[in-house]
């Protein structure tokens, strides 16, 4: 498990699916975590700040309630 602490300007889902996220402060943290995972032959990475669409009123509560099971 790769973990992190939340910081300033976390990358939200809407920005991550676009191209705006590469200039954000926390983008480098996500990029480095993915590179580290790939270096250990891990195919998938999860970053809750950008993997959960907080604007989706159905997805958000389901994701919050499922988070313990995911982790």
């Amino acid at each position: 498990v790769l973990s992190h602490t939340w910081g300033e300007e976390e990358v939200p889902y809407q920005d991550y699916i676009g191209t705006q996220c590469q200039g954000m402060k926390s983008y480098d943290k996500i990029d480095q975590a993915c590179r580290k995972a790939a270096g250990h032959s891990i195919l998938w990475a999860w970053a809750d700040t950008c993997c959960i669409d907080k604007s989706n009123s159905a997805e958000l509560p389901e994701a919050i309630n499922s988070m313990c099971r995911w982790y």
Side-chain angles (χ1 to χ4, degrees), residues 2-4 26-40 42 44-47:
L2 298 172
S3 185
H4 70 90
S26 292
Y27 176 79
D28 188 54
K29 175 176 58 176
I30 294 168
D31 184 56
Q32 292 301 318
C34 291
R35 289 174 189 272
K36 187 158 192 88
H40 290 280
I42 298 170
W44 298 92
W46 174 264

Side-chain angles (χ1 to χ4, degrees), residues 16-64:
Y16 197 78
I17 61 172
T19 58
Q20 307 93 309
C21 65
Q22 292 182 359
M24 298 178 78
K25 292 178 183 178
S26 292
Y27 176 79
D28 188 54
K29 175 176 58 176
I30 294 168
D31 184 56
Q32 292 301 318
C34 291
R35 289 174 189 272
K36 187 158 192 88
H40 290 280
S41 300
I42 298 170
L43 301 176
W44 298 92
W46 174 264
D48 57 358
T49 60
C50 61
C51 290
I52 298 172
D53 183 357
K54 295 178 189 85
S55 69
N56 184 321
S57 62
E59 182 177 335
L60 182 58
E62 180 181 345
I64 290 170

Side-chain angles (χ1 to χ4, degrees), residues 5-17:
T5 56
W6 283 24
E8 293 181 38
E9 198 177 62
E10 292 293 334
V11 180
Y13 174 80
Q14 288 79 9
D15 289 344
Y16 197 78
I17 61 172

